[in-house]
Amino acid sequence: MSTSAEPVKGKRVQPPWTPPGGTEVPQLHLYNSLTRAKERFVPQKGNRVSWYCCGPTVYDASHMGHARSYISFDILRRVLKDYFKYDVFYCMNITDIDDKIIRRARQNHLLDQYKEKQPQAAQILQDVLSAREPFQAALALTTDPDKKQMLERLDAGVMAALLPLQAAMQGKAAPAVVHPLAQLLLESSKDVLSDWLDQQFGSHVTENSIFSVLPSFWEGEYHKDMEALNVLPPDVLTRVSEYVPEIVEFVRQVVSNGFGYESSGSVYFDTVKFDSGPQHSYGKLVPEAVGDQKALQEGEGDLSISADRLSEKKSPNDFALWKASKPGEPSWDSPWGKGRPGWHIECSAMAGSVLGESMDIHGGGFDLRFPHHDNELAQSEAFFQNDYWVRYFLHTGHLTIAGCKMSKSLKNFITIKDALAKNTARQLRLAFLMHSWKDTLDYSSNTMESAVQYEKFLNEFFLNVKDILRAPSDITGQFEKWEAAETELNDSFSDRKCAVHAALCDNVDTRGAVEEMRLLVGMSNGYIAGRKGAKRRPNRMLVESIALYLTGMLKVFGAIEGSEPIGFPVGGQSQSADLESTVMPYLTVLSDFREGVRKIAREQKVTELLQLCDVVRDDTLPELGVRLEDHEGLPTVVKMVDKETLLKEKEEKKQMEAEKKKKKEEASRKKQEQEMAKLAKMKLPAGEMFRSDTDKYSKFDETGFPTHDVEGKELSKGQAKKLRKLFEAQEKLHSEYLQRSHHED
């Protein structure tokens, strides 16, 4: 008995089967700040991805800089989770103990106390003048141009309110005049005044609860903003105030391992000893910044920079793990006395507590690389005694406003609430999707207009597909014959899906992905238009597949929420598909009835009925979020669109028509003026056209043609020839005028 591998006598031997030589499928690569290169993404534990992200320092309203980072990380997280199907465990911190928070909380508390005393106008004026002296001294020493400009704006605002109050009080104005001016000065100078109060009385503020009210409020506002932006909440949220015992233990272990030292009640990290060991290296992310004292001092915090504090360190590059609390600062017990955590240690302790000795991804803003993240790496590797605390470091790019640097400390920022008042969360997200997550993004009217137009482009496609799918068809009618147009579109569909995948594998290049999606929509629109032009229905299953794919990708990106299978939700997130499926049958009946009325009205020439049909289309239904599109020779298209969008379109159309009418009237007026000017010119006999030009000519012949210039010189042949042409042309014009007048008579 022969086996299948043995040749059979009398038969040709078949060649062995070999697998096809297909192209290699791209694999996910991420830009790793540790290597400054795109690296193949390989989680440490199979499909499980551990991810820590630096969260906000909550002392003021969240702004578009926060949105830049957290929307970008939300997109990356969703792509890894919902597209690449990783099991992502996402941890984020809230910094609620920090120099900025301490200073702001103290200042707010002291300013509130000051206002509660209800000072008189004279007292407010005197205190503001006193507060301005150290403020102006600081202004004179400021060299940073952006900060100097900000301080000058503050001072100008104070002066604008101060001078009217001074004038009113010198003029002994009535209290009814003085009091509002005093309150205006108090409001305008709150930054200057609160800083002055803090310098005098800040050390007297000792109650820890004063320092928790401010961050608690702004954390709540931050979460509201993230929910409004459709940013997924973290799986674990850690607050510094809740991890002080873990932070103390973390610092104790770093000291025990020989990389930290106590000095005057504070504990510092020994960068020299850490960097000198064979296993470790300080400044992995930005080695060229090591020794940058300005950056290091900013990392330590405004309240922690003093000659005494600097003298406590073995090296200027050493940074605080634990800070001895000064009067006017919150404090917790520790082996080194009353104190509070350093800024960098909080993330190491919290991330270590939740994610252990090594995580797959650590994320944060580009400006956190040094010293914050470099210090995190050093102290965490010192604690865990390893050199792989973070495998992939991801840093989002800066955000600028119309090309200018944005900074909360410079009071040059747009809050998330302000941004959402101008554009929807989806439009903001689309703007971020249209740019690389790791590059600088400029938040401007042009950027947002591009996002709005992209949204509109996609939405019109979805609405058209929905209209195609609503056309009556039995089950067998769904399987329509494919021709060259369908095959061509399907091939393009396949190519675009591959291109989107390749883009997302390339460092989650959403900019490339959404551009491929734009191309797919453009091809689909061309196909649909071609089918309609040929009076043939587009293939339902093909356009539906494309619409489902695009909707799915937008859901992956977080640009669509809800269960609707195709397109953007109608009427807001809460209504979406349920609203459309409920009301569309009634709208179809109305559309069919209107179409019947229009047909009869056109045949019977009843213009009043046609006008009434137009009112339903242009005025009534847009108020209900319904757009009717009339196409000559084709059924009316019914689309459900957000009411606000339709009303905006209606207003824009009205403005365009008004502008068109204005241009038409302007053109008519100009034409009339030209006709009048031409007529006036025609009335003039040729013999009179030069006689009035006495500044040019001195003698004329019997027909009125000039022969000598103003100086009495005879005109040259060339001059005479040019003037003769004008003369003869005027003779012809005047002759036409006389003939026209004769006929009119």
Side-chain angles (χ1 to χ4, degrees), residues 649-663:
E649 287 178 0
K650 180 181 173 183
E651 187 60 33
E652 288 173 352
K653 184 179 177 183
K654 187 177 177 182
Q655 289 177 0
M656 285 176 64
E657 288 175 349
E659 189 66 28
K660 189 176 177 181
K661 183 181 177 183
K662 184 180 177 182
K663 286 182 179 178

Side-chain angles (χ1 to χ4, degrees), residues 250 254 269-271 274 281-286 289-292 295-300 313 316-321 342-349 362 368-383 389 393:
F250 198 100
V254 170
F269 187 81
D270 193 332
T271 56
F274 179 82
S281 174
Y282 178 63
K284 282 184 175 181
L285 286 165
V286 197
V290 174
D292 182 343
L296 287 165
Q297 289 181 19
E298 285 177 356
E300 293 296 81
K313 301 180 181 183
N317 293 345
D318 294 351
F319 55 89
L321 301 174
W343 175 33
H344 318 295
I345 197 69
E346 62 182 56
C347 288
S348 293
H362 191 320
L368 295 180
R369 294 179 311 151
F370 184 87
H372 186 52
H373 287 157
D374 266 326
N375 288 355
E376 277 186 43
L377 282 168
Q379 64 201 10
S380 298
E381 291 173 6
F383 177 87
W389 186 57
F393 240 122

Side-chain angles (χ1 to χ4, degrees), residues 429-466:
R429 186 171 289 251
L430 287 173
F432 284 35
L433 285 164
M434 293 166 76
H435 293 79
S436 169
W437 61 268
K438 65 175 285 293
D439 296 335
T440 297
L441 184 147
D442 187 45
Y443 175 71
S444 65
S445 57
N446 288 339
T447 300
M448 293 315 305
E449 181 58 25
S450 296
V452 170
Q453 290 305 316
Y454 187 78
E455 178 190 43
K456 187 175 181 180
F457 179 68
L458 291 174
N459 193 40
E460 284 303 310
F461 169 70
F462 290 136
L463 293 174
N464 285 327
V465 172
K466 288 179 182 180

Side-chain angles (χ1 to χ4, degrees), residues 23-26 83-84 490-520 523 549-550 553 557:
T23 56
E24 187 177 344
V25 178
Y83 185 83
F84 290 106
N490 190 58
D491 288 345
S492 296
F493 180 25
S494 179
D495 290 344
R496 298 284 72 73
K497 284 192 288 187
C498 289
V500 168
H501 180 72
L504 294 181
C505 285
D506 183 15
N507 195 37
V508 190
D509 176 18
T510 58
R511 178 174 55 183
V514 297
E515 186 55 35
E516 293 295 339
M517 291 163 64
R518 184 201 299 274
L519 291 173
L520 178 57
M523 293 169 183
Y549 167 75
L550 291 167
M553 288 308 305
F557 295 147

Side-chain angles (χ1 to χ4, degrees), residues 71-126:
I71 291 178
S72 295
F73 281 128
D74 186 66
I75 292 168
L76 289 171
R77 177 186 176 191
R78 287 172 183 266
V79 169
L80 263 64
K81 180 171 67 77
D82 297 331
Y83 185 83
F84 290 106
K85 304 303 180 184
Y86 286 110
D87 178 16
V88 178
F89 183 67
Y90 194 81
C91 175
M92 190 188 81
N93 78 296
I94 293 288
T95 297
D96 58 355
I97 302 173
D98 177 82
D99 286 37
K100 293 185 181 73
I101 293 171
I102 294 168
R103 183 190 291 275
R104 180 67 62 86
R106 268 194 335 226
Q107 289 179 345
N108 287 354
H109 174 70
L110 293 169
L111 188 62
D112 287 342
Q113 282 189 330
Y114 182 84
K115 289 179 178 178
E116 285 171 5
K117 294 176 182 177
Q118 298 183 341
Q120 297 298 308
Q123 186 67 51
I124 294 172
L125 180 59
Q126 180 184 332

Side-chain angles (χ1 to χ4, degrees), residues 39-298:
E39 306 288 358
R40 169 87 185 277
F41 181 64
V42 183
Q44 298 174 96
K45 296 180 180 178
N47 203 47
R48 176 79 162 175
V49 176
S50 56
W51 189 334
Y52 179 82
C53 182
C54 278
T57 300
V58 282
Y59 69 100
D60 206 337
S62 299
H63 53 70
M64 284 302 292
H66 296 123
R68 168 57 169 153
S69 189
Y70 300 123
I71 291 178
S72 295
F73 281 128
D74 186 66
I75 292 168
L76 289 171
R77 177 186 176 191
R78 287 172 183 266
V79 169
L80 263 64
K81 180 171 67 77
D82 297 331
Y83 185 83
F84 290 106
K85 304 303 180 184
Y86 286 110
D87 178 16
V88 178
F89 183 67
Y90 194 81
C91 175
M92 190 188 81
N93 78 296
I94 293 288
T95 297
D96 58 355
I97 302 173
D98 177 82
D99 286 37
K100 293 185 181 73
I101 293 171
I102 294 168
R103 183 190 291 275
R104 180 67 62 86
R106 268 194 335 226
Q107 289 179 345
N108 287 354
H109 174 70
L110 293 169
L111 188 62
D112 287 342
Q113 282 189 330
Y114 182 84
K115 289 179 178 178
E116 285 171 5
K117 294 176 182 177
Q118 298 183 341
Q120 297 298 308
Q123 186 67 51
I124 294 172
L125 180 59
Q126 180 184 332
D127 290 340
V128 170
L129 288 170
S130 299
R132 242 185 115 228
E133 290 179 10
F135 176 82
Q136 287 188 309
L139 174 58
L141 296 173
T142 301
T143 56
D144 182 273
D146 292 325
K147 187 173 182 181
K148 193 174 189 71
Q149 188 178 40
M150 181 271 291
L151 294 175
E152 286 172 345
R153 278 201 311 270
L154 276 179
D155 194 46
V158 172
M159 287 302 296
L162 189 149
L163 294 175
L165 179 60
Q166 277 185 324
M169 294 185 69
Q170 288 171 0
K172 298 184 178 179
V177 175
V178 171
H179 181 72
L181 291 173
Q183 295 306 305
L184 178 62
L185 176 60
L186 185 57
E187 182 61 28
S188 301
S189 58
K190 61 183 180 181
D191 290 319
V192 175
L193 195 58
S194 61
D195 195 45
W196 177 68
L197 291 168
D198 189 45
Q199 290 171 16
Q200 294 184 91
F201 310 112
S203 61
H204 301 165
V205 179
T206 56
E207 179 56 49
N208 267 18
S209 62
I210 291 170
F211 302 102
S212 63
V213 173
L214 178 79
S216 177
F217 171 79
W218 285 118
E219 182 192 334
E221 294 300 298
Y222 165 81
H223 291 309
K224 290 176 187 175
D225 287 338
M226 292 303 105
E227 185 178 5
L229 290 172
N230 194 28
V231 170
L232 294 172
D235 296 309
V236 176
L237 183 75
T238 61
R239 298 180 184 88
V240 182
S241 59
E242 297 171 346
Y243 275 78
V244 173
E246 288 85 351
I247 291 170
V248 169
E249 177 57 28
F250 198 100
V251 174
R252 191 195 63 75
Q253 187 62 50
V254 170
V255 173
S256 178
N257 289 346
F259 295 107
Y261 58 90
E262 187 269 340
S263 180
S264 302
S266 295
V267 181
Y268 295 96
F269 187 81
D270 193 332
T271 56
V272 174
K273 185 174 182 180
F274 179 82
D275 197 44
S276 62
Q279 190 183 12
H280 302 298
S281 174
Y282 178 63
K284 282 184 175 181
L285 286 165
V286 197
E288 63 270 25
V290 174
D292 182 343
Q293 290 305 305
K294 182 181 178 183
L296 287 165
Q297 289 181 19
E298 285 177 356

Side-chain angles (χ1 to χ4, degrees), residues 470 570-571 575-591 621 624-627 638-641:
R470 279 197 294 268
V570 179
Q575 297 176 352
S576 70
D578 292 336
L579 174 66
E580 186 159 357
S581 61
T582 300
V583 304
M584 192 51 71
Y586 301 98
L587 293 175
T588 303
V589 169
L590 171 63
S591 176
L621 289 178
L624 302 174
V626 179
R627 183 199 291 156
V638 185
K639 296 179 178 179
M640 290 200 67
V641 186

